[in-house]
Amino acid sequence: MASSKPTHRKHLPLHDYRERCIYHITLVVSDRCKVFGRIVDRRQMAGDQTWVTQQHSWQKVMQQDGSTLFISPEGQQWTEAMMAATAKVELTPLGYDISKAIQSIPEEWGKKGIKAKILAKIVMPEHIHFILFIEEPMEERLQKLIRGWKQGCNKLLRKYLEGGGCGAGVKNAAQPNGRSENSAPANSNSSTGPRAMSAPANPNSSTGPRAISAPANSNSSTGPCPMSAPANPALATESCSRERLEKLPSGSAAFLRSAMGSSGSAAFLRSAMGSPPEDGAIACSPEDGAMASSPDKGAIPSFLQGASKRILEGHALFEDDFDETRLRRKGQLRAMIDYVHNNPTHRWLRAHKPHWLLPIRGIEIAGRCYDAIGNILLLGLPRFQVHCRYRWERDQDHEARRAHQNESVLKARKGYALVSPFISPHEAAVREFCLREGHSIIQISDNGFSDFSQCPGGLYDYCDRGQVLLLVPSERPHIDRKSGISRAECKALNDRAEEIAKEQ
């Protein structure tokens, strides 16, 4: 049985879950069984060859900085960032049905008089994310509505377990052998079907992919497509619809603009409130677990054969509770949607770079034990503490603060790793400036890492590049809903940062 992340989160007692709001909903498959699909990348989808043959025809070259360079049969050079940008979820028939079930939430709930929209969604192999916009107050609580939706998903599961009926995904999954970027359901024009694969990431993007040479035969139907002007992977599966935006109830667009902040453009709003992305997923071919057109009664499809007893016998597809994050601050909506869209890329990176993106336990620094996420090689650099003193702000000593900020930047440019919890806005400003210049930081946190913790979204790309090391005292437990930090905790974290900076 796979290890399971606790999915019960104590819902906010003072929040009315019947009011107008935007929620980021996460549901985890029972026992984290991977029944919805798998993550695939460019090597597994190029041309008409089977993915096994195609994947093993690529070469992997280790670079001096520890990164991997992927070389295609035609001589194209793909960095890890470029390959991760092509990561997609290849859905099983059940995964495809769940994707359509999320898409149908506004229509199904609309029959109960509830106005809702799906702003973004993704079906991952063992969990799902979707951003739900409740446009008007409703009579039922959100928890009851999600419970009813999960019961509908259990009915889809029973169709496969009983073998007597096939969901829509089964018919659509029957594709020719092999994979291609254009693999799609039978009705490729359907607004609810999976979209074709987008092009890889922009080679000139900030993630640092290298220049690539043109393929030997750019017209070959079996080789990778030449990389012209690829789409932004975070927005590649979005679709814009002005008509949908104009049909929204009064105030909806204004509400989203307020949530997204001044940086929210009209194009992004239309994208967020138009047809939600279809995961960038491709339907699976029959050898990946699609049931035959005339299955035996009671036969279990291969994509469910490794599932837990809770799924096979209890017919419970998801864990009992769900995880929800309520939109509460300006600019949070953009971060929510980016997180959903980037899930396949982040999963690919975690699988291929576990030494930088997964928790590492029990590192001893300055006589204390820490857990870490990120590049532990940064501990080999000289270190400098960034600490904008409280007394400087209290006494309005702006000159002392600016001098310390300038000194921190100069130290970073000389090769020092900046150490701090980066709590105050002035410390965070130093961190952002130095990260953009390509320097390194060691950040101290007050919340422990669970086995499923990862680098925060705002630091993920920098962590992937090896610029970030997150440290937390090993004795600190992981708190699912960490809110606020006391002055005593701030002082304790700054004391730890001072210890780490002095220990060489």
Side-chain angles (χ1 to χ4, degrees):
M1 182 181 296
S3 60
S4 179
K5 176 184 179 182
T7 56
H8 175 75
R9 291 185 72 170
K10 191 173 181 180
H11 301 294
L12 300 175
L14 301 180
H15 177 64
D16 184 0
Y17 285 91
R18 294 170 292 189
E19 68 180 17
R20 183 173 185 258
C21 192
I22 292 179
Y23 301 94
H24 179 182
I25 307 293
T26 301
L27 287 94
V28 178
V29 175
S30 295
D31 301 306
R32 286 194 166 261
C33 297
K34 298 181 180 180
V35 298
F36 290 158
R38 64 176 183 173
I39 303 294
V40 295
D41 58 39
R42 179 76 177 191
R43 295 171 297 164
Q44 299 158 324
M45 293 179 291
D48 297 325
Q49 305 174 52
T50 63
W51 77 270
V52 175
T53 303
Q54 183 64 33
Q55 183 182 32
H56 290 285
S57 63
W58 287 62
Q59 295 180 0
K60 294 172 65 175
V61 179
M62 295 297 298
Q63 303 292 95
Q64 292 183 352
D65 59 0
S67 63
T68 302
L69 192 65
F70 299 90
I71 303 179
S72 72
E74 291 76 24
Q76 292 180 345
Q77 296 182 359
W78 295 64
T79 64
E80 290 174 326
M82 294 168 62
M83 191 63 73
T86 69
K88 299 290 178 182
V89 184
E90 186 180 63
L91 295 176
T92 63
L94 177 60
Y96 178 59
D97 281 348
I98 296 301
S99 178
K100 293 207 305 179
I102 300 172
Q103 182 79 22
S104 66
I105 284 178
E107 180 182 353
E108 294 300 321
W109 290 9
K111 298 175 183 177
K112 303 178 182 180
I114 300 170
K115 292 188 177 181
K117 285 195 175 292
I118 301 296
L119 303 184
K121 71 179 181 67
I122 188 75
V123 177
M124 297 294 286
E126 79 291 358
H127 68 276
I128 62 174
H129 296 287
F130 59 92
I131 299 177
L132 176 67
F133 180 19
I134 302 296
E135 299 183 81
E136 294 180 358
M138 51 190 181
E139 296 181 359
E140 297 183 78
R141 288 173 62 86
L142 177 67
Q143 289 88 334
K144 183 177 180 181
L145 293 170
I146 296 295
R147 218 166 26 241
W149 183 82
K150 287 164 62 178
Q151 291 173 0
C153 294
N154 291 338
K155 292 180 180 178
L156 293 174
L157 171 66
R158 284 195 289 271
K159 288 182 179 180
Y160 293 99
L161 293 177
E162 294 168 359
C166 299
V170 174
K171 180 178 70 173
N172 290 329
Q175 300 294 324
N177 290 337
R179 293 160 178 76
S180 69
E181 292 191 6
N182 295 322
S183 297
N187 182 6
S188 59
N189 296 323
S190 169
S191 61
T192 60
R195 309 282 173 89
M197 268 280 299
S198 59
N202 190 332
N204 297 321
S205 69
S206 60
T207 55
R210 305 163 193 238
I212 60 171
S213 57
N217 181 5
S218 59
N219 296 323
S220 172
S221 60
T222 59
C225 300
M227 294 179 59
S228 51
N232 183 339
L235 303 177
T237 56
E238 293 182 5
S239 61
C240 301
S241 172
R242 184 180 296 274
E243 293 181 1
R244 284 177 179 257
L245 182 64
E246 292 173 349
K247 290 179 182 178
L248 287 174
S250 175
S252 296
F255 177 68
L256 279 177
R257 289 192 187 95
S258 173
M260 291 188 58
S262 58
S263 61
S265 63
F268 185 83
L269 287 173
R270 288 195 296 274
S271 171
M273 305 199 62
S275 301
E278 286 301 320
D279 316 312
I282 58 175
C284 69
S285 50
E287 66 270 20
D288 289 327
M291 291 172 57
S293 57
S294 300
D296 296 334
K297 185 70 175 179
I300 298 178
S302 60
F303 61 84
L304 288 174
Q305 287 177 1
S308 64
K309 289 185 178 180
R310 177 179 167 87
I311 294 177
L312 298 178
E313 299 177 7
H315 294 184
L317 185 56
F318 293 104
E319 296 285 0
D320 290 335
D321 211 337
F322 67 95
D323 181 287
E324 49 81 15
T325 300
R326 179 170 55 100
L327 186 70
R328 292 182 293 178
R329 63 181 182 272
K330 188 175 182 180
Q332 188 180 0
L333 179 60
R334 179 183 291 274
M336 283 181 173
I337 293 178
D338 286 347
Y339 178 85
V340 170
H341 289 161
N342 289 333
N343 243 241
T345 296
H346 289 176
R347 174 63 61 85
W348 190 97
L349 288 170
R350 281 166 65 91
H352 289 77
K353 304 179 75 172
H355 54 294
W356 282 4
L357 300 173
L358 292 177
I360 304 172
R361 308 289 182 184
I363 299 175
E364 186 174 339
I365 308 172
R368 298 181 186 268
C369 197
Y370 292 87
D371 295 340
I373 292 179
N375 186 4
I376 61 174
L377 298 179
L378 298 184
L379 294 174
L381 299 178
R383 305 163 208 157
F384 180 81
Q385 183 188 13
V386 180
H387 186 192
C388 294
R389 308 283 177 175
Y390 172 72
R391 65 175 180 270
W392 295 341
E393 298 306 312
R394 181 191 59 197
D395 301 336
Q396 296 186 345
D397 193 351
H398 304 310
E399 290 298 327
R401 173 176 55 79
R402 280 195 290 268
H404 179 71
Q405 289 177 304
N406 290 336
E407 182 184 9
S408 300
V409 173
L410 291 175
K411 288 288 188 181
R413 288 173 176 171
K414 291 179 180 179
Y416 282 70
L418 302 183
V419 185
S420 176
F422 297 105
I423 297 171
S424 76
H426 306 297
E427 293 167 352
V430 172
R431 178 190 63 187
E432 298 304 317
F433 182 84
C434 290
L435 284 175
R436 285 196 297 269
E437 281 199 349
H439 309 308
S440 303
I441 63 135
I442 299 175
Q443 180 165 320
I444 319 298
S445 174
D446 66 325
N447 190 12
F449 300 138
S450 73
D451 291 339
F452 299 92
S453 293
Q454 59 184 0
C455 197
L459 297 176
Y460 202 99
D461 288 341
Y462 299 113
C463 193
D464 172 41
R465 297 174 210 164
Q467 294 179 242
V468 173
L469 176 63
L470 302 179
L471 295 177
V472 63
S474 296
E475 66 272 13
R476 302 287 297 191
H478 173 72
I479 302 174
D480 209 22
R481 283 190 183 274
K482 188 78 171 66
S483 58
I485 184 171
S486 67
R487 179 167 176 75
E489 289 176 316
C490 291
K491 184 178 183 307
L493 291 178
N494 280 307
D495 290 344
R496 291 290 187 105
E498 185 176 4
E499 292 178 358
I500 294 173
K502 290 181 177 178
E503 192 269 347
Q504 298 293 331

